[in-house]
Amino acid sequence: YQRRVRGAYAIFIPTNIVQCLPSLNYNILLVFLLPGWILLNLLRTLKFRALRLDTGNFSWSSEGTTRKARILDVVYNASNNELVRTKTLVKNAIIQIDSTPFRQWYESHYGVTAGRKKKAVTDEKEEVSKSNHLKRKLAARKEDSKIGSLLDDQFSTGRLYACIASRPGQSGRCDGYILEGKELEFYLRKLKSKKTK
């Protein structure tokens, strides 16, 4: 950082672009902004700059649930392909996350496995004893347990496409939402056309 004194305040100017990368470890840099010496405005004058992140909170909006998932890869960025090559996490980047937390929630909530092909042989597991009330509740929920075919294919691969909604370089967090419906179709077309070039 360059330090430039202007009047009574010292301004710290970032000299290079800070890249936020998906990693097994996380590293967050605390940046003080002005006027940092005022205690009342202390939280307003702090930035949490994420240098490396491995997890984030992602929302599955059609099901109304949020889970903490592992970030696997950056696959698309509309602004710059260089950010994809260097795996930089920025707002509105399309990333791949681990589908395990959402699959486990789906199986426990609806009693139906997500992402398993119908042709695949199902392993017989020991049935857990369930009360009659729980059986009736799961049977009523099974009617609403339809997910899109594209999302179901992603569950079978173990990776979901998600969009980052937060700003990792400002808040130090990588939160977002799972792509589904028309938005998922759009980005799958973009990724397919990118691979053919």
Side-chain angles (χ1 to χ4, degrees):
Y1 290 97
Q2 269 183 342
R3 187 170 185 267
R4 187 187 345 162
V5 177
R6 185 179 195 185
Y9 301 109
I11 301 172
F12 291 95
I13 302 168
T15 56
N16 56 358
I17 297 173
V18 177
Q19 295 179 346
C20 180
L21 307 173
S23 171
L24 294 177
N25 300 321
Y26 65 92
N27 188 4
I28 297 173
L29 178 70
L30 189 61
V31 179
F32 290 92
L33 298 177
L34 295 177
W37 50 272
I38 301 176
L39 292 177
L40 297 176
N41 293 331
L42 184 61
L43 290 179
R44 277 192 241 161
T45 60
L46 295 181
K47 281 187 186 180
F48 299 94
R49 185 151 291 156
L51 303 179
R52 288 187 187 90
L53 289 175
D54 56 347
T55 57
N57 289 326
F58 294 94
S59 170
W60 190 0
S61 57
S62 65
E63 297 295 331
T65 185
T66 301
R67 291 289 177 267
K68 187 174 185 177
R70 195 163 55 97
I71 300 168
L72 302 175
D73 196 12
V74 178
V75 292
Y76 182 76
N77 195 323
S79 63
N80 193 351
N81 284 334
E82 186 71 16
L83 298 176
V84 177
R85 190 183 65 78
T86 58
K87 299 179 187 278
T88 305
L89 297 173
V90 294
K91 185 176 179 179
N92 288 332
I94 306 302
I95 60 174
Q96 281 187 333
I97 61 172
D98 187 21
S99 67
T100 306
F102 294 99
R103 184 178 46 79
Q104 289 173 346
W105 175 85
Y106 191 81
E107 290 174 2
S108 68
H109 187 74
Y110 290 111
V112 180
T113 57
R116 305 282 167 88
K117 297 292 183 187
K118 294 179 181 176
K119 295 178 185 176
V121 178
T122 57
D123 298 332
E124 293 184 12
K125 297 179 181 176
E126 294 180 11
E127 285 293 322
V128 178
S129 61
K130 298 177 184 175
S131 66
N132 289 332
H133 176 72
L134 183 59
K135 289 178 184 176
R136 286 194 307 270
K137 186 190 285 188
L138 290 176
R141 284 181 183 165
K142 277 186 185 180
E143 299 169 1
D144 301 329
S145 67
K146 304 292 183 205
I147 58 175
S149 61
L150 294 175
L151 196 60
D152 199 36
D153 292 341
Q154 288 184 19
F155 272 113
S156 63
T157 62
R159 292 173 169 232
L160 297 175
Y161 287 115
C163 182
I164 299 176
S166 66
R167 298 170 69 192
Q170 306 290 323
S171 63
R173 300 166 55 114
C174 186
D175 302 334
Y177 58 92
I178 293 176
L179 298 177
E180 50 189 340
K182 299 281 186 183
E183 194 174 12
L184 178 59
E185 291 174 15
F186 174 78
Y187 283 113
L188 285 176
R189 277 198 312 269
K190 289 281 189 184
L191 290 170
K192 189 175 181 182
S193 67
K194 190 174 112 175
K195 286 180 183 177
T196 58
K197 288 183 179 179

